[in-house]
Amino acid sequence: AGVKRSREEYDAEIMTLLDIHQIDLVLLIGYMRILSAPFVQRWRNKIMNVHPSLLPKFAGGMDLEVHQAVIAAGEKETGCTIHWVDEGVDTGEIIVQKKCSVEPTDTAKTLKAKVQALEGEAFIEAIRQFIKT
């Protein structure tokens, strides 16, 4: 069994690696961990996360549960949100949103596929904005 580290210890190791490799921007894609406050403070406005809904709707949820919640709520559209990471969960400033329709025949899995297809395009747009500033 591996050594159990605190979130702060793990994040400190990651920050060290990011500094060593002179990383300018961190992209969280399917990263199912909450970052520690010291990590977020050190990398403020340099950490982007993708969320599988049109935030602020369905914040805090993950993966298929978000898509199922969209269907259960009777939403007509959904999509993905690229946002800055802050100390909250899915509360950072929105950078880019991409939308798609929710059809009556959609399931959580079909919605996930539609939304994931938008994520690359959304990240490219968000990264271009970051480079300009």
Side-chain angles (χ1 to χ4, degrees), residues 7-8 10-11 14-15 18 26 28 31-41 43 47-49 85-89:
R7 179 169 43 148
E8 288 76 14
Y10 180 82
D11 284 359
I14 298 296
M15 282 192 282
L18 294 172
V26 176
L28 302 180
Y31 193 74
M32 303 294 198
R33 294 175 63 105
I34 305 298
L35 297 170
S36 63
F39 190 104
V40 172
Q41 289 159 9
W43 290 86
I47 313 167
M48 293 180 184
N49 182 52
V85 173
D86 63 11
E87 289 80 3
V89 176

Side-chain angles (χ1 to χ4, degrees), residues 26-100:
V26 176
L27 307 179
L28 302 180
I29 306 166
Y31 193 74
M32 303 294 198
R33 294 175 63 105
I34 305 298
L35 297 170
S36 63
F39 190 104
V40 172
Q41 289 159 9
R42 164 65 179 80
W43 290 86
R44 184 161 316 277
N45 296 324
K46 294 182 179 182
I47 313 167
M48 293 180 184
N49 182 52
V50 61
H51 185 76
S53 76
L54 298 173
L55 290 176
K57 292 182 178 182
F58 310 104
M62 290 190 292
D63 200 29
L64 290 175
E65 76 179 44
V66 172
H67 304 297
Q68 190 57 53
V70 166
I71 291 168
E75 297 289 332
K76 299 294 181 218
E77 67 179 8
T78 189
C80 67
T81 302
I82 309 292
H83 66 92
W84 291 116
V85 173
D86 63 11
E87 289 80 3
V89 176
D90 299 326
T91 56
E93 180 185 349
I94 292 170
I95 305 165
V96 174
Q97 290 186 315
K98 297 289 179 190
K99 298 177 182 180
C100 62

